[in-house]
Amino acid sequence: MDHPQFVEHDEPEDVFTLLSDDNRIDILRALWNSDDLMTFSALHDAVDIRDSGQFNYHLDKLVGQFVTKTEEGYELTAAGWQVNGAIEAGSYTAKGRMEPIAIDPPCPACDGSRTFYYENEVARVECDTCDVRMEFPIPPSTFVNCNREDIPTVAGKYLRTTIKGLDTGFCAQCDGPVERTACHVTDSSLWDSSVDDVDQQLGNVSDMPVVEYECLQCGREPTSGLPFSLLTHPEVVGFHYDRGIDIRRRSIWEFTPFGTEHAQVTSNDPFRASVSFIAGDDKLTLIVDEEITVLETTVTTTAE
Ligand SMILES: [Zn+2]
Ligand SMILES: [Zn+2]
């Protein structure tokens, strides 16, 4: 059977040249803000270009790539929605830095306090005591109308959505197809081999399992802690749900992505890693392979 053929039909620079004019951005925004298809005259009225010839000229440039023209009127194409979404997201710039914010749930690896930083559109969560830290890009538009104390929670939800997207197979940057593999943190692109005095509290660092993603389109290789990818697994959701916990409502900061007490590579050939989740006196342990297929689950309890 033939595969569907998708070819890149325009040079990327030609596409961006199309948007190098404020009038065209105004047209995209008018369509973005409209609930329905817009007729030629409604669109013309919504955009501040008096000269009909000029208006026509700019609209024509957008038709095909970013705007669809039908008998009823004009609307954005999928690319039009996406590019305008990026424009809206980028219209809030986070210059400078936000004052650090303390995060409520303590570090799951060492019980220490943690701090949330947001700088240059990158969120960073650091344990004040041990070496557990993570960072991820997040657009400032995410925090519009957000109270300062809610920012870490909102950032956590954003991170969860990003990981869910990657696990479903879509790149957060370009929507291209993503492949994922579980591996040792030392084999991931995250690993900085110059760091050799990592805190002993984390156990043997080389045994930490991570998920390495690779976008087949843009080549980006984000890395995430293996437990995060398992938060959507039915066994994990069910284990918590049976104990009165709706995992979707829990802050992602309550789950540790790193720390060999909770996640550990147990075998190299074949690759096996174990991840545990704790709810009250009960502990769920999952064994996964390289493809993050759950091979085995056990529940143990410390209660009498
Ligand atoms: Zn810690
Ligand atoms: Zn990509």
Side-chain angles (χ1 to χ4, degrees):
M1 206 170 80
D2 285 344
H3 288 290
Q5 295 291 310
F6 293 103
V7 289
E8 228 180 329
H9 57 87
D10 283 309
E11 291 294 329
E13 45 200 300
D14 294 344
V15 173
F16 286 107
T17 311
L18 281 179
L19 298 173
S20 64
D21 184 292
D22 286 349
N23 292 312
R24 294 179 201 166
I25 305 294
D26 288 348
I27 294 173
L28 291 182
R29 279 198 150 152
L31 290 168
W32 167 276
N33 289 322
S34 165
D35 295 332
D36 295 307
L37 287 168
M38 287 181 97
T39 61
F40 180 87
S41 56
L43 185 55
H44 194 184
D45 288 347
V47 177
D48 192 24
I49 313 171
R50 295 268 170 79
D51 186 293
S52 289
Q54 276 290 313
F55 172 73
N56 235 331
Y57 170 77
H58 291 303
L59 180 57
D60 259 7
K61 288 282 180 195
L62 295 170
V63 169
Q65 187 75 39
F66 297 114
V67 173
T68 309
K69 181 185 179 180
T70 66
E71 276 180 19
E72 290 81 41
Y74 296 85
E75 65 182 338
L76 292 175
T77 61
W81 280 104
Q82 212 158 26
V83 81
N84 201 73
I87 291 168
E88 300 288 330
S91 57
Y92 305 96
T93 44
K95 289 270 155 49
R97 54 179 294 171
M98 191 184 277
E99 285 303 305
I101 305 170
I103 286 197
D104 254 351
C107 168
C110 78
D111 251 1
S113 57
R114 284 181 299 173
T115 311
F116 176 90
Y117 302 87
Y118 187 63
E119 228 172 341
N120 300 324
E121 308 192 1
V122 172
R124 205 169 78 243
V125 172
E126 273 179 27
C127 175
D128 304 335
T129 318
C130 75
D131 283 324
V132 166
R133 67 174 267 170
M134 50 188 304
E135 58 177 56
F136 51 99
I138 176 163
S141 57
T142 310
F143 302 125
V144 170
N145 296 331
C146 187
N147 294 325
R148 188 180 140 79
E149 63 269 26
D150 296 332
I151 282 175
T153 308
V154 171
K157 286 181 182 171
Y158 183 88
L159 175 63
R160 233 166 142 154
T161 310
T162 305
I163 294 171
K164 210 186 271 180
L166 287 166
D167 282 325
T168 318
F170 300 102
C171 175
Q173 258 60 45
C174 76
D175 294 331
V178 167
E179 283 183 352
R180 59 173 197 170
T181 326
C183 64
H184 286 265
V185 67
T186 43
D187 292 333
S188 75
S189 56
L190 190 73
W191 188 246
D192 177 356
S193 55
S194 65
V195 180
D196 52 18
D197 58 343
V198 178
D199 205 308
Q200 286 305 305
Q201 254 165 333
L202 299 181
N204 186 356
V205 175
S206 64
D207 285 343
M208 277 184 211
V210 293
V211 181
E212 177 91 337
Y213 300 93
E214 189 193 350
C215 174
L216 304 181
Q217 179 163 269
C218 73
R220 268 177 48 91
E221 291 183 342
T223 306
S224 166
L226 179 57
F228 283 172
S229 284
L230 292 169
L231 287 179
T232 45
H233 192 279
E235 286 281 1
V236 178
V237 175
F239 168 77
H240 288 90
Y241 196 70
D242 289 348
R243 288 157 184 81
I245 302 162
D246 182 345
I247 208 168
R248 295 170 304 181
R249 301 195 183 283
R250 283 293 174 101
S251 160
I252 197 164
W253 309 125
E254 290 177 42
F255 303 96
T256 178
F258 305 115
T260 42
E261 195 192 322
H262 304 278
Q264 190 163 25
V265 177
T266 53
S267 150
N268 285 315
D269 191 17
F271 179 94
R272 297 286 184 266
S274 84
V275 176
S276 338
F277 295 91
I278 290 164
D281 295 325
D282 300 333
K283 178 173 171 179
L284 166 71
T285 304
L286 304 106
I287 308 290
V288 304
D289 64 11
E290 214 168 9
E291 279 146 14
I292 316 164
T293 306
V294 174
L295 305 174
E296 211 184 299
T297 60
T298 42
V299 175
T300 52
T301 180
T302 54
E304 289 299 304

